[in-house]
Amino acid sequence: MVLPLLMAGGPAARAAAEPLWRTVEQPLGLKLLVVVVGLVLIAWELWWFLGRHGGGVAARVGEQGLQGITITVDGGYAPARIKAMAGRPLRLSFHRIDPSGCVAQVIFPDFHKTLDLPMNATTSLELPPTEPGIYPFHCGMNMVRGVLELE
Ligand SMILES: [Cu+2]
């Protein structure tokens, strides 16, 4: 009979004969390389999301002691760490070039301020003279973050 013979040599029979996967032994050096690259990527990711990116950028002092700095909003805040003097008014100008709705708002929880940031525009927030401290700010979803450092 022809039919049983065809079935015996068909795909089902072959699949039964071969395992679905097999272990390919790799050299120890390659295993170590994969582990090291993985750890480096984890460290980089932690630094990217949680690290302090540099010492921050200081606001410039303009006329009548008003400090000012422009922050570019593009996937994040640049600079994300702003340094300014406490006890003096400060103007933060956010220039948004990122179309993502994620960054359409910036929130300063400590000052109870929420700022809408229109696309391709600069929106300013003026803060009164404030006590020294670390004042975080973030986008509407608390995903993009920055820090205002007054000292
Ligand atoms: Cu967001």
Side-chain angles (χ1 to χ4, degrees), residues 5 32 62 68-69 89 104 108 116 123 128 130:
L5 274 173
L32 286 174
I69 189 164
F108 287 79
D116 289 317
T123 312
T130 309

Side-chain angles (χ1 to χ4, degrees), residues 6 27 35 39 48-49 61 68 73 82-83 87 93-94 99-100 107 115 119 139 147:
L6 274 176
V35 169
L39 288 174
W48 181 260
F49 285 105
V61 184
V73 182
I82 296 145
K83 286 187 167 180
S93 301
F94 288 89
S100 160
I107 298 171
L115 207 61
M119 189 58 196
C139 75
V147 160

Side-chain angles (χ1 to χ4, degrees), residues 102 139 141 143:
C102 176
C139 75
M141 286 149 272
M143 291 162 75

Side-chain angles (χ1 to χ4, degrees), residues 26-33:
Q26 301 289 349
L28 182 65
L30 188 63
K31 288 182 185 172
L32 286 174
L33 183 74

Side-chain angles (χ1 to χ4, degrees), residues 36-78:
V36 167
V37 168
L39 288 174
V40 166
L41 286 173
I42 290 168
W44 175 79
E45 188 188 348
L46 288 173
W47 171 83
W48 181 260
F49 285 105
L50 305 173
R52 291 179 59 152
H53 297 231
V57 176
R60 274 182 305 212
V61 184
E63 51 200 272
Q64 289 157 3
L66 177 67
Q67 311 176 87
I69 189 164
T70 299
I71 299 133
T72 304
V73 182
D74 185 14
Y77 301 115

